[in-house]
Amino acid sequence: FRDSIRHDEL
Amino acid sequence: MNVFRISADLLHLLSIFILLLKMQKTRSVAGISFKTQLLYTIVFIARYLDLFESHAEKSFELVTLYNIVMKIIFISSSVYTLYLMKKKFRATYDPNTDTFRIEYLLALCLFLALMFNYRFTVMEVLWTFSIYLEAVAILPQLFMLSRTGEAETITTHYLFALGFYRAIYLLNWIWRFHMEDYVDWIVWISGAVQTALYSDFFYIYYKKVLHGEKFVLP
């Protein structure tokens, strides 16, 4: 999966 | 950031404002499920633990600041709501109508988060847990509503804003999928479930409250 998981929603 | 996302977030803020207004104006928490509010507080704390991570190495964008401010508002307002319900307006809370068993919801969501996540780390599992829990956190409130059979108009406005903001998030994801190739199945499925849970409520709200009548279950 993605290297770094960035949750950019609230 | 797009128009759907920002409208949804502002509607979420509005729903919190309506809830606080209802409690302060009527000086009562009647009709509000403490269990649902407790679940939301757990959701926010589990999801926004990244507030306590170091931000030093992250690239600092305006949206990061926006998220930080919103996260602080969501956590503090939900904790404040719990305080109002448990302390200030405690006498107006009726636990006999708030009988949904949240232990099952918590256990189910924890199980799902351990099974289906993007990465098996503490932070990621807690984030996933918060997504699943948010999807079902309204159930005690809807259960309470079905037991009492009616609700104050201001309470229905609160629930409508809360449900409708989730519906707008669906549009945000469709938009992002087309514009940014954004894909997030955990959030999408949970968000769809969460919005679907409101369908009966939306229908009665539309039939009754928007036509100037009291919210009464048929």
Side-chain angles (χ1 to χ4, degrees), chain B residues 45-214:
Chain B
I45 292 173
R47 188 176 311 166
Y48 301 150
L49 284 174
D50 62 340
L51 280 176
F52 306 103
E53 281 184 323
S54 167
H55 290 272
E57 69 278 12
K58 290 182 189 165
S59 64
F60 203 84
E61 299 162 44
L62 197 58
V63 67
T64 312
L65 180 66
Y66 169 87
N67 281 343
I68 290 172
V69 171
M70 294 292 262
K71 288 170 184 180
I72 292 170
I73 294 176
F74 290 149
I75 290 178
S76 49
S77 63
S78 65
V79 171
Y80 181 59
T81 300
L82 293 186
Y83 158 76
L84 290 180
M85 297 193 79
K86 268 291 167 198
K87 299 280 175 193
K88 202 168 177 194
F89 302 129
R90 189 191 183 112
T92 61
Y93 170 67
D94 181 10
N96 296 320
T97 55
D98 195 12
T99 50
F100 196 91
R101 298 296 297 268
I102 58 172
E103 299 87 339
Y104 298 124
L105 289 184
L106 289 162
L108 175 74
C109 294
L110 186 64
F111 171 76
L112 288 173
L114 289 167
M115 294 292 291
F116 307 103
N117 54 62
Y118 291 136
R119 192 186 287 166
F120 200 74
T121 64
V122 174
M123 289 289 279
E124 236 352 79
V125 169
L126 280 174
W127 177 85
T128 315
F129 168 71
S130 83
I131 296 289
Y132 296 150
L133 190 62
E134 189 190 358
V136 294
I138 199 63
L139 285 176
Q141 177 66 62
L142 294 177
F143 182 70
M144 189 178 190
L145 203 62
S146 71
R147 283 203 60 175
T148 52
E150 57 175 51
E152 291 170 295
T153 301
I154 191 164
T155 305
T156 65
H157 291 332
Y158 160 65
L159 290 173
F160 177 75
L162 199 57
F164 199 58
Y165 109 77
R166 294 310 305 186
I168 302 177
Y169 250 99
L170 299 178
L171 300 177
N172 161 54
W173 297 324
I174 294 170
W175 176 267
R176 292 190 69 181
F177 175 71
H178 285 291
M179 303 303 281
E180 307 165 24
D181 286 328
Y182 164 88
V183 176
D184 192 333
W185 284 104
I186 287 179
V187 166
W188 287 356
I189 294 171
S190 310
V193 169
Q194 189 173 357
T195 311
L197 291 181
Y198 284 89
S199 14
D200 281 356
F201 169 81
F202 282 151
Y203 179 71
I204 302 166
Y205 182 84
Y206 173 76
K207 290 280 274 188
K208 301 266 182 182
V209 182
L210 288 187
H211 293 89
E213 291 173 49
K214 191 175 164 55

